[in-house]
Amino acid sequence: MTTGSPAGADAVDPPVDTAVDVVCLGESMVTFLPVRPGRLADVPAFERTIGGAESNVACALAAAGHTARWVSRVGADGFGDHLVEAIGSYGVDVRAVRRDPHRPTGIYFRTADDRAADGHEVLYYRAGSAASAMSPATVPHRDLWAGRILHLSGITAALSADCLALMRDLTVRRPGRPLVSFDVNHRPGLWRDAAGPRVLLDLARGADLVFVGEDEAEDAWGMRGPEAVRAALPEPDVLVVKRGAAGATVFARGAGRVAEPALRVDVVAPVGAGDAFAAGFLSATLRDLPVRDRIRHGHLMAAAVLTVPGDLTQPPPRAHADRLVALDATAWGRLRLGPGWTGDDQEVRTS
């Protein structure tokens, strides 16, 4: 498995010239999850896994049968080896991941509960990481423009001035660029000053497809409701406002406003659903499905992750998902998905 030249942080690497469906750019970190709930101070041991919004999307798309490439930088260390091998095991093309002998791979620790829960703790050890050295000089367009879609996240912009410069460069509208997908992913703890929300709004305006949570739009920008978000973001051809239990509302040029309710899900672990929704929506976009079906595929992919303990899982077979997406509104509204529902031979409950 080739992961780029270890000769130096800014060494010139050979081009990765194989075309793919989606290229995902962003930092992934080795994640340490506690073996039991409680304060980080009280947890006796942790299990190692991986975490990264953009690589989660790449893994989900590859598992769903698409060709996906993850572009990033990792340290020339064992944690970097683990990330590249783990993400590659999902079928993701990792040849454009560069190894940095001078900077480490980022890691983080978090508590077992949901990010939104009271008492949730996250400790990042990513300052000066290999990924923070991504810039227009170290991540060439040849690696990023090889897909039909380039998927980005606001997390990258917060990592360093160089990363922000790269994100600004990639969201400039210019001839020849692929469709640019941008998940706002507002993480207040990553920004060193109060400029983060404004930066994220500017980057979103340069994208073709934007994902944003209704709650984060209110927290970051003071916007209440999908219509207010669309009024502030008229530039993207497609704007997806995720509304949690209320579903998702999409504004698409040529299709207007389309809303679809969320599914009822027996949640096992409430992590990774946003990335999975984006992967499902992008998968249906690649297939040129109607906007309603894109939203429903997003909901199904999110449900697949919500009904397992981790951030990643095998999505439902495409034919199985397509059958569910084709249900009429009444039947769709009666679905209730629990652990094991993604198997092609599994009965899906209704109520």
Side-chain angles (χ1 to χ4, degrees), residues 141-152:
H141 283 179
R142 70 186 183 213
D143 287 348
L144 299 170
W145 283 21
R148 293 168 57 189
I149 296 174
L150 171 61
H151 181 68
L152 310 170

Side-chain angles (χ1 to χ4, degrees), residues 5-6 33-34 59 73 89 104 109 132 154 195 207 239 275 277 283 302 334:
S5 169
L33 304 179
C59 289
R73 297 176 75 88
S89 72
F109 297 78
S132 71
L239 171 65
D275 300 332
F277 180 93
S283 173
R334 294 176 59 207

Side-chain angles (χ1 to χ4, degrees), residues 254-315:
R257 180 186 187 277
V258 182
E260 276 293 304
L263 292 162
R264 287 175 293 173
V265 179
D266 296 332
V267 176
V268 172
V271 293
D275 300 332
F277 180 93
F281 194 95
L282 291 175
S283 173
T285 299
L286 288 164
R287 298 168 62 199
D288 200 27
L289 298 183
V291 173
R292 187 208 71 164
D293 294 5
R294 298 180 194 189
I295 301 172
R296 286 189 172 189
H297 275 285
H299 286 324
L300 288 171
M301 196 81 86
V305 167
L306 287 170
T307 50
V308 299
D311 292 32
L312 294 167
T313 189
Q314 185 67 32

Side-chain angles (χ1 to χ4, degrees), residues 68-192:
R69 174 174 300 150
W70 174 51
V71 177
S72 190
R73 297 176 75 88
V74 299
D77 50 37
F79 287 150
D81 294 341
H82 176 62
L83 281 175
V84 172
E85 291 167 6
I87 294 168
S89 72
Y90 281 85
V92 175
D93 181 346
V94 295
R95 292 176 297 162
V97 179
R98 309 305 182 197
R99 309 303 291 265
D100 190 327
H102 306 299
R103 302 175 181 89
T105 303
I107 63 173
Y108 80 103
F109 297 78
R110 69 172 176 85
T111 47
D113 51 15
D114 181 34
R115 181 181 293 116
D118 291 339
H120 180 70
E121 298 173 76
V122 178
L123 290 179
Y124 291 107
Y125 296 91
R126 71 198 309 179
S129 69
S132 71
M134 293 190 296
S135 72
T138 61
V139 185
H141 283 179
R142 70 186 183 213
D143 287 348
L144 299 170
W145 283 21
R148 293 168 57 189
I149 296 174
L150 171 61
H151 181 68
L152 310 170
S153 154
I155 294 171
T156 303
L159 298 181
S160 68
D162 283 341
C163 284
L164 176 55
L166 176 61
M167 292 291 290
R168 291 195 187 282
D169 177 62
L170 294 175
T171 50
V172 171
R173 300 185 186 277
R174 53 165 65 94
R177 82 171 194 180
L179 184 152
V180 173
S181 165
F182 179 70
D183 193 335
V184 171
N185 263 329
H186 180 227
R187 299 288 185 268
L190 293 180
W191 292 93
R192 297 174 179 82

